[in-house]
Amino acid sequence: AKTVLPPSDLILNDLREIDQYDWQGQSYSELQRQFPESWRAWEKGIPGEMKVLETATNIVHYPLMEMWERADRVWNEILDLEKKHQQDCGDDDDDGMDRKVLIVAHGNLGQALLGSAMGWDASRFNDEGSVFGNCGMAEIEFLDLDTSPRKIANRWRWQWP
């Protein structure tokens, strides 16, 4: 079967690093001093307690949970595109083989992408078993897209370093 890549101008708006809202541009020491509870939640990986205000809208956000939700949407979009490309190319000899995707990402986004692919929730952020190094790479193998009730990976392995 031939390999078909998505168009080069493909833009996934949800594929971005964590939104920091009013934390943007502040030093770690400023954040620790001004927002001790949210800073502790960030360090410990407690997504429901990491709250950040967006002054422009006066909305309180939960950035870790939002990033995890975006990562899940990114996987759905990537895997849907992959399946559509197979159909468009007339790849009728799909034998249900697993799908593999390579991630190259910054640490926070990498954790969210890996975690959501594996079916983990955001409480795994900064967990020793799911920490994703800066500019790390992981190979993720997905279950058969036609038979899996939810697009969840069945295994992963480091490709860095």
Side-chain angles (χ1 to χ4, degrees), residues 28-98:
Y28 289 157
S29 60
E30 290 173 319
L31 294 172
Q32 290 170 330
R33 188 179 65 255
Q34 292 177 16
F35 312 103
E37 292 175 14
S38 286
W39 179 260
R40 183 186 58 76
W42 165 259
E43 284 188 313
K44 303 254 185 222
I46 308 170
E49 294 180 19
M50 194 233 173
K51 299 181 262 185
V52 178
L53 177 66
E54 181 181 16
T55 305
T57 61
N58 202 32
I59 295 174
V60 174
H61 291 272
Y62 295 84
L64 290 174
M65 295 169 70
E66 291 173 3
M67 183 176 57
W68 221 268
E69 290 165 3
R70 283 197 321 272
D72 196 47
R73 289 192 303 265
V74 163
W75 282 124
N76 287 337
E77 191 169 352
I78 289 171
L79 295 172
D80 287 346
L81 283 170
E82 193 271 342
K83 191 170 183 177
K84 182 182 180 323
H85 281 290
Q86 279 185 348
Q87 292 167 349
D88 290 349
C89 293
D91 189 359
D92 293 332
D93 52 317
D94 180 18
D95 56 4
M97 291 179 59
D98 295 336

Side-chain angles (χ1 to χ4, degrees), residues 138-157:
E139 182 181 34
I140 299 177
E141 186 174 279
F142 283 88
L143 298 170
D144 181 6
L145 299 178
D146 292 325
T147 60
S148 178
R150 184 180 181 278
K151 297 168 186 148
I152 295 182
N154 57 340
R155 63 183 175 168
W156 68 280
R157 66 180 178 158

